[in-house]
Amino acid sequence: AIRDFNRGENLPLLIFANWRGFSGGTRDMFAEVLKYGAMIVDALVEYKHPVTIYLPPNGELRGGAWVVLDPKINPDQMEMYADVEARGGILEPPAAAEIVFKQDKHVLEMMHRLDETLQGLDARAAKGEDVAKAVKDREKLLLPMYRQVSVMYCDLHDRSGRMKGIGAVREELEWENSRMYLHWRIRRRMQENGVVRKMLAAVPEMTQVQAVAVVADLCKSVAPSGDTNEDMAVATWLETHTSDIDARIETERQRLTEEQIYQLVSSLPAARRGEVVRDLVGYARVAEKQAQRS
């Protein structure tokens, strides 16, 4: 289906991601989940239109499912967003807590560092008193609560704010505003992709990176970066100012042509450069006269 959308229908792709990954068990292996996950990666890598991945409210993206949908596999087209109530990460919080806190070793250290009763027992133990049983009883009493704290600590790292902070998602969204936001974001990206393709067709010497930079510069003056209505303003401007876009494309074509001429002339022997420049000046004068007559 992804390949059909890409090649035949030329559509943007929106994925609501709520997958907890690949278990690796007999059932998943028999169902060829790993094989089809690799096929999804292959299809996304070659996708030529905007791909938007959205983690819905209370949704989770874990383990191998995150690897399949990671925007880094096609950074030019893929963007990921997360609802403020969504979660994302390779491991779930209980499993991450087992690793981060060394199977309660760090939890016990935290108890002795924070609990006043244990601090008092440690002080008595330092004086030579036998308080081992009291320490064990206090640790046993506090352990369930501190385990919950450790799991919550790991859960905080899986939330949308943290995902945005480390660059895993582009933006965190609220469900009631997500439809409007994604509509204008996808609409803008479709228009930008159209301008990039038009520019590459008109100026074959230009690279994809150069074309994207030109479009970004073109949109910079439309709306300030970070503005809440930036996507709407840019999408509307690109749809209604085709003449300005065509003029910018022509400017870029002329600029690259001038650079090519300069590079070609510079590659000639010094003795030949003057002759070639003189011929070019003569050709320009003849062409100007012919244009005036016509």
Side-chain angles (χ1 to χ4, degrees):
I2 295 175
R3 288 194 171 97
D4 289 341
F5 292 153
N6 184 34
R7 298 174 183 173
E9 303 184 42
N10 297 317
L11 293 173
L13 183 64
L14 177 60
I15 300 174
F16 288 88
N18 185 19
W19 303 328
R20 296 182 68 185
F22 170 65
S23 69
T26 305
R27 182 176 179 181
D28 281 0
M29 294 300 289
F30 182 77
E32 298 183 307
V33 172
L34 189 61
K35 169 187 171 182
Y36 289 113
M39 291 175 64
I40 293 174
V41 173
D42 292 340
L44 291 176
V45 165
E46 61 186 24
Y47 211 84
K48 303 301 182 184
H49 309 285
V51 179
T52 303
I53 302 155
Y54 178 51
L55 279 64
N58 302 312
E60 291 185 80
L61 189 62
R62 301 286 184 187
W66 182 286
V67 177
V68 169
L69 298 180
D70 194 328
K72 292 183 177 65
I73 65 178
N74 187 358
D76 292 334
Q77 299 297 343
M78 295 178 66
E79 291 183 350
M80 183 179 287
Y81 300 88
D83 187 88
V84 292
E85 297 297 330
R87 301 288 188 273
I90 300 300
L91 296 176
E92 295 191 15
E98 288 289 325
I99 297 173
V100 173
F101 292 93
K102 306 294 185 184
Q103 296 183 340
D104 295 339
K105 177 184 176 183
H106 290 173
V107 173
L108 294 175
E109 293 175 358
M110 192 187 309
M111 289 182 195
H112 286 264
R113 188 170 67 250
L114 300 177
D115 185 67
E116 293 181 358
T117 302
L118 283 176
Q119 290 175 354
L121 291 172
D122 289 340
R124 290 169 57 187
K127 295 178 182 178
E129 297 184 31
D130 184 11
V131 293
K133 185 177 183 304
V135 169
K136 288 294 182 182
D137 291 341
R138 184 64 178 174
E139 289 176 346
K140 184 177 179 180
L141 177 66
L142 295 177
L143 188 58
M145 182 182 67
Y146 272 75
R147 277 179 177 164
Q148 291 181 9
V149 172
S150 67
V151 172
M152 179 60 70
Y153 174 82
C154 293
D155 180 69
L156 291 172
H157 284 73
D158 292 345
R159 300 193 182 189
S160 58
R162 180 59 179 168
M163 286 190 278
K164 180 182 176 182
I166 63 175
V169 300
R170 187 179 185 276
E171 191 59 77
E172 51 181 340
L173 305 177
E174 295 182 355
W175 178 249
E176 57 268 23
N177 303 321
S178 60
R179 183 185 179 92
M180 179 68 72
Y181 180 91
L182 293 176
H183 166 81
W184 285 110
R185 182 62 189 169
I186 295 172
R187 191 164 163 179
R188 171 185 177 172
R189 294 176 64 201
M190 288 291 290
Q191 292 297 324
E192 288 179 340
N193 280 7
V195 174
V196 168
R197 286 194 294 269
K198 188 175 182 180
M199 190 173 298
L200 293 175
V203 192
E205 300 82 8
M206 181 175 283
T207 65
Q208 174 83 15
V209 175
Q210 291 174 327
V212 170
V214 171
V215 173
D217 181 66
L218 195 63
C219 299
K220 191 183 300 182
S221 60
V222 178
S225 179
D227 186 78
T228 53
N229 296 318
E230 177 189 357
D231 292 330
M232 181 190 297
V234 171
T236 305
W237 189 89
L238 291 174
E239 292 170 357
T240 57
H241 290 72
T242 54
S243 58
D244 293 339
I245 295 170
D246 292 340
R248 181 60 183 269
I249 292 175
E250 178 60 22
T251 299
E252 293 299 321
R253 187 191 66 79
Q254 294 178 11
R255 182 183 64 81
L256 287 177
T257 300
E258 291 173 1
E259 290 182 358
Q260 285 183 320
I261 293 174
Y262 178 79
Q263 290 173 357
L264 291 172
V265 172
S266 299
S267 66
L268 294 172
R272 288 281 298 154
R273 293 175 190 171
E275 298 177 8
V276 172
V277 171
R278 185 175 64 251
D279 292 341
L280 288 174
V281 172
Y283 170 79
R285 290 174 180 172
V286 171
E288 184 178 357
K289 290 180 180 179
Q290 289 178 347
Q292 291 175 351
R293 290 174 186 173
S294 60

